[in-house]
Amino acid sequence: MTSSSGDHRRRVEPIFIIFLCLCAVSSGVDSAVHHLKWEIKYEYRSPDCFQKLAVTVNGDNPGPTITATQGDTLVIEVTNGLHSENTAIHWHGIRQRGTPWSDGTEGVTQCPILPGETFTYRFVVDQAGTYIYHAHYGMQRTAGLYGLIRVLVRNGTIEPFSYDKERSLILNDWWHKSTMEQATGLSSLKFGWVGEPQSLLINGRGRYNCSLAGGTDVCNATNPGCSPFVLTMVPGNTYRLRIASVASLSALNLEIEGHNMTIVEADGHYTQPIVVKNLNIYSGETYSVIVKANQDPSRNYWVRLNVVSRKPGTPTGVAILNYYPNHPKKSPPTIPPTGPLWNDTVYRFNQSKLIKSHPNYTEAPPRTSDRVILLLNTQNKVNGFVRWSINNASFVPPTTPYLIAIKENLRNVFDQNPAPGTYGYQNYDIYSVPQNSNGTLSNSIYRLEFNSTVDVILQNANTMNVNNSETHPWHLHGHDFWVLGFGLGKFDPDVDPKSYNLIDPILKNTVAVHPYGWTALRFRADNPGLWAFHCHVEAHFFIGMGAVFEVGADRINKLPSYILGCGESRRLIKT
Amino acid sequence: MTSSSGDHRRRVEPIFIIFLCLCAVSSGVDSAVHHLKWEIKYEYRSPDCFQKLAVTVNGDNPGPTITATQGDTLVIEVTNGLHSENTAIHWHGIRQRGTPWSDGTEGVTQCPILPGETFTYRFVVDQAGTYIYHAHYGMQRTAGLYGLIRVLVRNGTIEPFSYDKERSLILNDWWHKSTMEQATGLSSLKFGWVGEPQSLLINGRGRYNCSLAGGTDVCNATNPGCSPFVLTMVPGNTYRLRIASVASLSALNLEIEGHNMTIVEADGHYTQPIVVKNLNIYSGETYSVIVKANQDPSRNYWVRLNVVSRKPGTPTGVAILNYYPNHPKKSPPTIPPTGPLWNDTVYRFNQSKLIKSHPNYTEAPPRTSDRVILLLNTQNKVNGFVRWSINNASFVPPTTPYLIAIKENLRNVFDQNPAPGTYGYQNYDIYSVPQNSNGTLSNSIYRLEFNSTVDVILQNANTMNVNNSETHPWHLHGHDFWVLGFGLGKFDPDVDPKSYNLIDPILKNTVAVHPYGWTALRFRADNPGLWAFHCHVEAHFFIGMGAVFEVGADRINKLPSYILGCGESRRLIKT
């Protein structure tokens, strides 16, 4: 049931059994406690044949897949084996009800985990579905700390689709320069950008053209570690394919040559079944699709992954769909399908709008909201530095996490003024390079009334480059939100809400805001905690594209002392 | 008087003045308080023409030179502007009497400084002389966090040598791979070594052969930042040259073409004046030498820096001694002098033995010691990992600093058994590859009686390679020690102490242990604190070549809370 392996497994099992028994006795529910011990390290890896340092979890990159059943408890002891870097791990999509300090968001919910230290995350996976975990510290996700979480339905529960077997694909983009180089460039007065990723990775495997690298000592195309991932299927069978993207930058489009995909799950919620030829997936999103192995069984097929929304500077990523018993490494006789044009915004926009809640599982949103927050996303210069801003405020988290500052009443940690809830939309031209002469750095937050219903409209606009607007996948911690609507152009508060889908909107935790477009969300602020809400592009959040929501702080239990120790929380140390 | 610059200086001056006044009033002594504000960052630098990330202090690499007068107080607010790495800065050679928590030794005297946080070091420079500062966290010194400290004698104090002007040279070795890559290789089960340094740097400048690098985007020989350092002298004048080595690996030999050097100061203590043609300097050592500009003034001369003790894989480093008013960049008409053979151990051994205390400043050591600690330095494998060990114990610091663990009585932080004080020297063959089947990792320490006199004999031996023994410069924190003697071969406790120099040994804080040799030290454990004692080769200390001395812990004042927050010290947090 757990994904720990080797020595770790042996050490873990007795504890696992003890916890399992206790739970069964105390609650009468058949829920388990999975006790995992993880060591995070840097190791040399060659995921796309090019050797560089990558973060591993117990030696694996990507990290191990966690499998649990709805209602189970995960106890994950993370030991930071990096030499001089801190870490924190976010359990993306897990709502952390009652355990806001286990959300793993450094600067928001915890102090960082220092080298040599062990931090124990403990939380319940209360919702079946497909989730991910990844570093949430600086830009460390880019260094390769990520993996998949599968939360299965309870025994006897019937899902609204059927399949014979299950497979998973976790998608990523990958640079050959270090995370530290990327971060340094982004935060320098002389802005530096590492450029487009060198590779797209499918289950941690890509393929770089080693003739472009300087010698076989750093790039070796014969390294078996960088051969394409093989997805084996038995002809005639039906598969559930769990797909997740942890890409640091790229919006992705995935296609399985000759096979349609039927989308059935998005971010842990069942969707109306939708048949697509290819799937647009944005960083932080997860899907389940149904694929039938119903094509010519005498050959293999390409799994094709492309960058979309940005002008591609990264080669197509591939895996092999292997029809058993063909040789798993036998190249398909075709070239990989081309897929949609990278700049076909309307195509992606339309697919976003297709994703709706499954009729048998629809939880309709409240008809009205208590509060509307309108957030303009712009690229600005602040004090000479290139930044992303929300309503002209560019987010910089404090060194003392918000959760600690608020619960321990450390008022000088962050600006107590409310973060800006709207912008001058009447006069703002979203198609022009922003003026933004009044952009500022900010660590103020949005305080939401407990149990209130909140609408957030994310408005995209032109970047600092003429005729350019990017795609931003926004991710909310601690809650799922209803996706009420998408638009292209400027959101009009008087008109656009009339087109909201209040019947069967999908619940998600991550959603795309398309170039020059808007996306409208609604959620019930019913989970006490301090919750990050940010663009899931690692570089964008790193230079300001984020916010924090406070929800029902007075209902948060006493903080565990292990999350403290940094910043102003040292004031609480009594020697 | 302070070395901060630009905006920082402007912010600093008012505070400086206030403190200066207070001191003058309260003590009646003319001592100043220097208030510095430092920001530590990664920035792209090309010290040897090859561009890579380097740690800067307020934008400078090397960091600014600190100048103060004996008895002054330094208050240095260090803000960690690294993105995900912690830091700590050691003030090497400053004894930190009364301020053991300002020694800057992460894991021993303080918790690390987290990204975004500010840590204030405050201490008195109680002894004139030449010192250095550098990162003391993981292998971060290798990333370029270092600089010089000049502590001047008080006004009116006469030094035992005279000169017209003063110059400084800080020496370093430099790799093109990152510190993280070096650290990962060293700590992997499949041991990896980055190889010899690409360059030697003099005042942060070296010169790599860019034709060996992959393109002018990473290596540009026309970059003015990597032209040789120019040491300008006026013909006929006499110079005090302060020389310090912060090399991560290399033992160095420095020569000024055509000019003798007279050694007059070593590690802050006046020496018998010794004339040398070239100077062996080991990492962590500082010297002052007197150089007279008494040669043909119509030309310039080479300053030549070579690796010794290791088979050179690093080109000679050079600076230009410029005789004013010749053009400072005019190449000398000669080739740089060759210097001694890299493997001439006897040459270096003999120069070490020449360094003695100046007769007018000799403080004779106690005739006898209260305790003798005999430390065998060996390279071992422990649990399959390549390690350095002391008496078969390979040092691994705990995540809770010793100073905190001891003062706050956190007994489970480290092994309370005493560290091993001797080894089976009767039967040990220092010329053979060590067997060391019983090597262990250890965090136990040496507890020294307050005010006792302690002898430490460091015994060098064969590494894991046949016919190989290396040079190890050992550095003691918190104290200077008398250098009682050096030997080649195995130290015999019954015979060798009879040859100790008890008349005029030099006091130092760093001293070399030569290949297959021994070095005997004596010090009075009179400075309450927890003090690291370790090989100053960054890679050696990183994989175990170190120890910690506890001195008079009951005399240490209440700890400032800002040094806490990590590891077990979180138990002291009261929410």
Side-chain angles (χ1 to χ4, degrees):
Chain A
M1 294 287 278
T2 73
S3 60
S4 64
S5 60
D7 285 337
H8 288 276
R9 175 179 277 274
R10 283 196 292 280
R11 273 188 279 149
V12 166
E13 276 176 351
I15 300 167
F16 165 75
I17 291 164
I18 290 164
F19 277 113
L20 180 62
C21 297
L22 286 173
C23 288
V25 170
S26 63
S27 69
V29 177
D30 183 19
S31 66
V33 176
H34 305 263
H35 202 113
L36 310 180
K37 284 173 185 273
W38 282 5
E39 187 181 14
I40 308 302
K41 288 173 70 175
Y42 272 110
E43 299 188 63
Y44 278 107
R45 289 289 183 272
S46 306
D48 64 350
C49 308
F50 185 95
Q51 179 177 281
K52 64 166 284 202
L53 292 183
V55 176
T56 59
V57 179
N58 293 344
D60 289 340
N61 173 272
T65 295
I66 298 175
T67 299
T69 299
Q70 183 178 11
D72 287 356
T73 298
L74 294 179
V75 181
I76 307 172
E77 288 182 39
V78 175
T79 297
N80 179 359
L82 308 174
H83 303 295
S84 50
E85 277 185 50
N86 303 311
T87 192
I89 302 182
H90 172 53
W91 316 95
H92 179 118
I94 308 299
R95 293 172 298 182
Q96 303 289 356
R97 292 184 171 273
T99 54
W101 43 78
S102 282
D103 191 47
T105 315
E106 188 275 335
V108 180
T109 66
Q110 67 165 93
C111 290
I113 311 172
L114 275 59
E117 296 195 349
T118 299
F119 185 101
T120 302
Y121 292 98
R122 186 186 180 95
F123 53 88
V124 173
V125 289
D126 63 351
Q127 184 173 270
T130 307
Y131 307 101
I132 48 186
Y133 63 84
H134 58 75
H136 215 298
Y137 184 65
M139 295 190 66
Q140 203 173 61
R141 195 177 87 225
T142 308
L145 203 180
Y146 67 95
L148 199 74
I149 305 174
R150 298 161 67 228
V151 181
L152 311 180
V153 293
R154 290 197 180 94
N155 233 338
T157 302
I158 309 293
E159 297 192 278
F161 45 85
S162 61
Y163 52 92
D164 300 303
K165 297 198 182 72
E166 184 179 316
R167 299 280 186 272
S168 298
L169 299 178
I170 191 161
L171 313 177
N172 196 13
D173 47 13
W174 193 248
W175 283 267
H176 294 169
K177 288 199 173 174
S178 70
T179 299
M180 210 183 294
E181 289 179 280
Q182 186 168 166
T184 299
L186 289 169
S187 58
S188 292
L189 202 51
K190 186 185 167 194
F191 183 82
W193 171 237
V194 288
E196 300 303 302
Q198 275 65 56
S199 302
L200 299 180
L201 306 184
I202 300 176
N203 287 352
R205 287 162 178 239
R207 195 162 192 85
Y208 185 68
N209 179 352
C210 282
S211 69
L212 302 174
T216 53
D217 54 331
V218 290
C219 198
N220 185 351
T222 66
N223 186 332
C226 63
S227 59
F229 176 75
V230 176
L231 181 71
T232 297
M233 293 187 178
V234 174
N237 275 8
T238 298
Y239 290 83
R240 176 186 192 161
L241 203 52
R242 295 182 190 263
I243 306 170
S245 172
V246 293
S248 288
L249 176 70
S250 313
L252 298 171
N253 180 278
L254 181 81
E255 182 167 346
I256 303 177
E257 184 189 12
H259 295 72
N260 285 330
M261 295 181 271
T262 305
I263 300 171
V264 293
E265 180 218 338
D267 295 3
H269 295 275
Y270 298 127
T271 68
Q272 285 183 23
I274 302 161
V275 179
V276 296
K277 186 163 177 250
N278 51 62
L279 176 73
N280 296 306
I281 181 166
Y282 304 96
S283 178
E285 286 190 321
T286 64
Y287 288 96
S288 286
V289 301
I290 300 295
V291 177
K292 292 186 179 174
N294 58 6
Q295 297 299 305
D296 174 3
S298 71
R299 54 165 286 194
N300 291 338
Y301 297 84
W302 292 111
V303 178
R304 188 273 304 153
L305 184 63
N306 274 357
V307 172
V308 288
S309 176
R310 292 178 72 91
K311 189 169 182 178
T314 309
T316 294
V318 290
I320 292 175
L321 167 55
N322 165 236
Y323 267 48
Y324 182 85
N326 298 327
H327 192 285
K329 295 198 171 175
K330 187 179 168 190
S331 267
T334 46
I335 57 166
T338 312
L341 291 174
W342 71 269
N343 55 358
D344 190 346
T345 301
V346 172
Y347 178 79
R348 297 193 302 280
F349 176 78
N350 285 336
Q351 192 176 88
S352 287
K353 294 214 296 183
L354 284 176
I355 313 291
K356 293 179 183 168
S357 177
H358 189 283
N360 297 356
Y361 295 84
T362 296
E363 184 190 346
R367 303 290 303 170
T368 58
S369 70
D370 302 304
R371 180 174 178 184
V372 178
I373 299 173
L374 182 53
L375 301 179
L376 175 69
N377 295 201
T378 56
Q379 203 178 38
N380 311 54
K381 278 209 172 186
V382 180
N383 307 327
F385 291 88
V386 172
R387 303 284 305 179
W388 286 97
S389 297
I390 307 305
N391 294 346
N392 263 345
S394 186
F395 180 69
V396 180
T399 50
T400 311
Y402 289 102
L403 177 60
I404 297 170
I406 287 177
K407 285 301 287 182
E408 302 300 333
N409 213 19
L410 305 168
R411 287 177 178 272
N412 58 344
V413 163
F414 65 93
D415 182 356
Q416 299 290 310
N417 293 306
T422 189
Y423 76 104
Y425 57 88
Q426 296 91 340
N427 301 316
Y428 193 88
D429 179 4
I430 64 165
Y431 299 102
S432 294
V433 170
Q435 306 300 318
N436 300 105
S437 51
N438 56 347
T440 55
L441 303 180
S442 169
N443 58 20
S444 62
I445 64 172
Y446 299 89
R447 297 181 177 231
L448 307 182
E449 196 178 334
F450 182 69
N451 256 336
S452 65
T453 299
V454 179
D455 282 5
V456 176
I457 295 98
L458 292 155
Q459 175 68 59
N460 209 340
N462 206 97
T463 66
M464 292 200 304
N465 300 318
V466 175
N467 288 330
N468 179 254
S469 182
E470 304 190 358
T471 301
H472 301 290
W474 275 75
H475 171 59
L476 177 59
H477 294 222
H479 302 76
D480 296 331
F481 48 72
W482 290 279
V483 182
L484 300 186
F486 296 91
L488 293 177
K490 190 161 72 170
F491 178 82
D492 184 336
D494 297 324
V495 175
D496 290 314
K498 292 170 186 152
S499 67
Y500 285 170
N501 175 6
L502 299 177
I503 310 300
D504 57 0
I506 188 71
L507 278 158
K508 292 189 99 243
N509 60 62
T510 306
V511 71
V513 186
H514 293 286
Y516 299 113
W518 57 263
T519 302
L521 322 173
R522 178 168 293 174
F523 67 100
R524 199 178 276 124
D526 60 358
N527 188 10
L530 273 291
W531 305 111
F533 178 51
H534 61 95
C535 178
H536 210 258
V537 171
E538 194 81 328
H540 293 182
F541 182 43
F542 186 66
I543 56 173
M545 202 170 198
V548 166
F549 294 133
E550 179 201 311
V551 177
D554 54 329
R555 294 166 185 261
I556 301 169
N557 284 334
K558 183 174 154 64
L559 303 181
S561 66
Y562 56 81
I563 73 165
L564 296 98
C566 58
E568 292 293 308
S569 77
R570 288 199 187 84
R571 290 171 183 270
L572 308 171
I573 297 175
K574 305 297 176 212
T575 57
Chain B
M1 293 289 276
T2 74
S3 59
S4 64
S5 60
D7 285 335
H8 288 275
R9 175 178 278 272
R10 284 196 292 280
R11 275 189 276 150
V12 166
E13 277 176 350
I15 300 167
F16 165 74
I17 292 164
I18 290 164
F19 277 113
L20 179 60
C21 297
L22 285 172
C23 287
V25 170
S26 64
S27 70
V29 176
D30 183 19
S31 65
V33 176
H34 306 263
H35 202 114
L36 310 180
K37 284 173 186 272
W38 282 6
E39 187 182 13
I40 307 303
K41 288 174 70 174
Y42 272 110
E43 299 189 63
Y44 278 106
R45 290 289 183 270
S46 305
D48 64 351
C49 307
F50 185 95
Q51 178 177 283
K52 62 166 286 201
L53 292 183
V55 176
T56 59
V57 178
N58 293 344
D60 290 340
N61 173 272
T65 295
I66 298 175
T67 299
T69 299
Q70 184 178 11
D72 287 356
T73 298
L74 294 179
V75 181
I76 308 173
E77 287 183 40
V78 176
T79 297
N80 179 359
L82 308 174
H83 303 295
S84 50
E85 276 185 51
N86 304 310
T87 193
I89 301 182
H90 173 52
W91 316 95
H92 179 118
I94 308 299
R95 292 172 297 182
Q96 302 289 355
R97 292 183 172 272
T99 53
W101 43 77
S102 282
D103 191 48
T105 314
E106 189 274 335
V108 179
T109 65
Q110 66 165 94
C111 291
I113 311 173
L114 274 58
E117 296 195 349
T118 299
F119 185 101
T120 302
Y121 292 98
R122 185 186 182 95
F123 54 88
V124 173
V125 290
D126 63 350
Q127 184 173 270
T130 307
Y131 307 100
I132 48 186
Y133 64 84
H134 58 76
H136 214 298
Y137 184 65
M139 296 190 66
Q140 203 172 62
R141 195 177 88 224
T142 308
L145 203 180
Y146 67 95
L148 199 74
I149 306 174
R150 298 161 66 228
V151 181
L152 312 179
V153 293
R154 291 196 180 94
N155 235 340
T157 302
I158 308 294
E159 296 193 278
F161 45 85
S162 61
Y163 51 92
D164 299 303
K165 298 198 181 72
E166 184 178 316
R167 299 282 186 269
S168 298
L169 299 179
I170 191 161
L171 313 178
N172 196 13
D173 47 12
W174 192 249
W175 283 267
H176 294 168
K177 288 200 173 173
S178 70
T179 299
M180 210 183 293
E181 288 179 279
Q182 186 168 165
T184 299
L186 290 170
S187 57
S188 292
L189 203 51
K190 185 185 167 195
F191 184 82
W193 172 237
V194 290
E196 300 303 302
Q198 274 66 57
S199 302
L200 298 180
L201 305 184
I202 299 175
N203 286 353
R205 288 162 177 238
R207 196 164 190 83
Y208 184 67
N209 180 353
C210 282
S211 69
L212 302 175
T216 53
D217 53 331
V218 290
C219 198
N220 185 350
T222 67
N223 185 333
C226 64
S227 59
F229 176 75
V230 176
L231 180 72
T232 297
M233 292 187 178
V234 174
N237 275 6
T238 298
Y239 289 83
R240 176 186 193 161
L241 203 52
R242 295 182 191 261
I243 306 170
S245 172
V246 293
S248 287
L249 176 70
S250 313
L252 298 171
N253 180 277
L254 182 82
E255 181 167 348
I256 304 178
E257 184 189 12
H259 295 72
N260 285 332
M261 296 181 270
T262 305
I263 300 172
V264 294
E265 180 218 339
D267 295 4
H269 294 276
Y270 299 127
T271 68
Q272 285 183 23
I274 301 162
V275 179
V276 295
K277 185 162 178 251
N278 51 62
L279 175 73
N280 296 306
I281 180 166
Y282 304 96
S283 177
E285 287 191 321
T286 64
Y287 288 96
S288 286
V289 300
I290 300 294
V291 177
K292 292 186 178 173
N294 57 5
Q295 298 299 305
D296 174 1
S298 70
R299 53 165 288 195
N300 291 338
Y301 297 85
W302 291 111
V303 178
R304 189 272 305 152
L305 184 63
N306 273 358
V307 172
V308 287
S309 175
R310 292 177 71 91
K311 189 169 182 179
T314 309
T316 294
V318 291
I320 292 175
L321 167 55
N322 164 237
Y323 267 46
Y324 182 85
N326 298 327
H327 192 285
K329 294 197 171 177
K330 187 179 168 191
S331 267
T334 46
I335 57 165
T338 312
L341 291 175
W342 70 269
N343 56 358
D344 190 346
T345 301
V346 172
Y347 178 79
R348 296 193 302 280
F349 175 78
N350 285 336
Q351 192 176 88
S352 287
K353 293 214 296 184
L354 284 177
I355 312 291
K356 293 180 184 168
S357 177
H358 189 284
N360 297 356
Y361 294 84
T362 296
E363 182 189 346
R367 303 289 303 169
T368 58
S369 69
D370 301 303
R371 181 173 177 184
V372 177
I373 298 173
L374 181 54
L375 301 178
L376 174 70
N377 295 202
T378 55
Q379 203 177 38
N380 312 54
K381 277 209 172 186
V382 180
N383 306 328
F385 291 88
V386 172
R387 303 284 306 179
W388 287 96
S389 297
I390 308 305
N391 294 346
N392 262 345
S394 186
F395 180 69
V396 179
T399 50
T400 311
Y402 289 103
L403 177 60
I404 297 170
I406 286 176
K407 284 302 287 183
E408 301 299 334
N409 212 19
L410 305 168
R411 287 179 178 271
N412 58 344
V413 163
F414 65 93
D415 182 356
Q416 300 290 311
N417 293 306
T422 188
Y423 76 104
Y425 57 87
Q426 295 91 340
N427 301 315
Y428 193 87
D429 179 3
I430 64 165
Y431 299 102
S432 295
V433 170
Q435 306 300 317
N436 300 104
S437 51
N438 56 347
T440 55
L441 303 180
S442 169
N443 58 20
S444 62
I445 65 172
Y446 299 90
R447 295 181 177 231
L448 307 181
E449 197 178 334
F450 181 70
N451 256 336
S452 66
T453 299
V454 179
D455 282 5
V456 177
I457 294 96
L458 292 155
Q459 175 68 59
N460 209 339
N462 206 98
T463 67
M464 292 200 303
N465 300 318
V466 175
N467 288 331
N468 180 253
S469 183
E470 303 190 0
T471 300
H472 302 289
W474 276 74
H475 171 60
L476 177 58
H477 293 223
H479 301 76
D480 296 332
F481 48 72
W482 289 277
V483 181
L484 299 188
F486 295 90
L488 292 178
K490 190 162 72 171
F491 178 82
D492 184 335
D494 297 323
V495 175
D496 289 314
K498 292 171 186 151
S499 67
Y500 284 170
N501 174 6
L502 300 177
I503 309 300
D504 57 0
I506 187 71
L507 278 160
K508 293 190 98 243
N509 60 62
T510 306
V511 70
V513 186
H514 294 286
Y516 299 113
W518 58 263
T519 302
L521 322 174
R522 178 169 292 176
F523 67 100
R524 199 179 277 122
D526 59 359
N527 187 10
L530 273 291
W531 306 111
F533 178 51
H534 61 93
C535 178
H536 210 258
V537 171
E538 194 81 328
H540 292 182
F541 182 42
F542 186 66
I543 55 172
M545 202 170 196
V548 166
F549 294 133
E550 179 200 311
V551 177
D554 54 330
R555 294 164 184 263
I556 300 169
N557 283 334
K558 185 174 152 66
L559 303 181
S561 67
Y562 56 81
I563 74 164
L564 295 98
C566 60
E568 292 293 308
S569 76
R570 289 199 186 83
R571 291 173 184 269
L572 308 171
I573 297 174
K574 305 297 176 210
T575 57

